[in-house]
Amino acid sequence: MLAGPPRLAPTTDPKTVIVVGAGMSGLVAALELERAGHHVQIVEARRRIGGRVHTQRARDGAPMAEAGAGRIPRSHRWTWDYIDQMGLATRPLYPAGLKNIVLIDGKRWVIDSKTDLAATVDLPPEEKALGYAGLIKTHVLENVEKLVAAEVIDTPAWPPSALAHLDRLCIVDHLAAQGLSPGAIKLLTLGAFPTAISPLMLSRVLATYDRESLSVIEGGNDRLPAAIAAQLRGPILLNSPVRSVVQFADRIEIAVAGARPKAIMTADALICTVPFSVLGRVRFEPALSPAKQQILAEIRYTKATKVAFKMSARFWESEQLSGFAQLDTGAEIWSPRWSADDGSGVLQFYQQGERAAELDAMDEPARAQWAMGQIEKAFPGASRHVQESTSYSWQLDPWAGGAYGIPQPGDLFRWQGNIASPEGRIYFAGEHTSDYSAWIEGAVRSGHRAATELHEATFESHR
């Protein structure tokens, strides 16, 4: 059994700590620091906890869909450790024995064990001869094998300089440079695929991601942050965005704005989990290092908008369909409530990239109509079963500024050692500071890392 997160030793030097952000990284940091004997207060800009782990619920209160983090690979062992600690039940993301749909060039394909996706697009003879499995093996999995063989994942040797050539182009441009046809590139980037990712970062994701063991938490993924928050002794101050952070020789002071008059809070140290997409709104005195400011200016967050529909019946199951589909337009369709006992279900349209911005420009009815139009292409007749709908845009969320901050070509080496490095009494966490960016695993690991760094630090106390 692979090791999970280690516990911090009990402290002989308890510190007062402010954690900015009640997402998974902030909650994990607070939990581990409290377990070690420190005094922690969480300050959160939103009116809720969980950050980008956000379950949307139907009018009857039942979980409807995940607006944010929607799947948990079994290989993400630190996340599973906290799920087990909290005693939460899980179930598979995909229903067993049912088929998925692929929409390519407007044509619908039902995928089974006999389907070769290479037959769905116009490919040159040599690519057609390879088939879909051959294209994946030659142009994707061989790089994964090279990375695994380098034995650098989760070690200080990441990213490996020997594979730096795989971090020079985004995956689409890399595949084109390898001579692949547009049709083959389309096949290899189906679904809600982060096309700006480099082959090196993609290889890392695939090396630590088991698609066949994806799960969700029964009752909604937001039960995990809720369970952790329930174990904390210190308070969580909601609806309280931080406006400034000032470091002194013996303390940290933050200015918090909220429903009450502006308040000043003081602590020995601070853990900042604010996404770098919005951290620029916070004033730091003294200013953050030039290296950190450069990252804040350069980091790009992926756009993602989701539109979920509660359906009166899972009609697609009569055709032995799972309710899941991949599109060649940077989108996917999910069926997150496939196990509802009353026969109802959910179809969720998940759009990444610039088309997500197009959705954001629509009002709620127009957005739902457009998304259902896409779902109808995969599951004809779906509109007749809609009971209610809801949507969420992460780039329109003022406290997110996007779905996740994933490194783009060159970022891994350019930012190395700076994105997560402490600055005085300020420690940084969040999925964007982790090598598991875009996952709950990244948030969990980063929160634990920041807590460990602070726990082991020695500095003069203001007390």
Side-chain angles (χ1 to χ4, degrees), residues 14-71:
K15 302 177 179 73
T16 59
V17 181
I18 294 171
V19 174
V20 181
M24 282 300 302
S25 57
L27 292 167
V28 165
L31 179 68
E32 296 303 335
L33 287 170
E34 282 195 351
R35 284 172 168 174
H38 301 284
H39 308 287
V40 184
Q41 176 160 357
I42 297 178
V43 178
E44 166 59 47
R46 294 185 178 91
R47 298 177 184 273
R48 62 171 178 83
I49 65 168
R52 282 165 285 170
V53 179
H54 179 33
T55 306
Q56 293 178 294
R57 285 176 162 73
R59 286 192 289 263
D60 62 7
M64 187 167 165
E66 300 297 337
R71 50 194 170 184

Side-chain angles (χ1 to χ4, degrees), residues 420-439:
S421 59
E423 305 218 351
R425 294 170 179 263
I426 304 172
Y427 297 80
F428 293 89
E431 54 82 21
H432 55 286
T433 69
S434 166
D435 295 329
Y436 290 82
S437 53
W439 294 100

Side-chain angles (χ1 to χ4, degrees), residues 309-320:
F309 300 86
K310 184 179 178 185
M311 314 295 286
S312 59
R314 299 191 297 276
F315 66 92
W316 53 89
E317 292 182 356
S318 64
E319 299 180 61
Q320 297 301 300

Side-chain angles (χ1 to χ4, degrees), residues 195-209:
T195 53
I197 197 172
S198 74
L200 180 56
M201 192 61 194
L202 175 62
S203 296
R204 184 195 166 92
V205 171
L206 295 177
T208 56
Y209 167 69

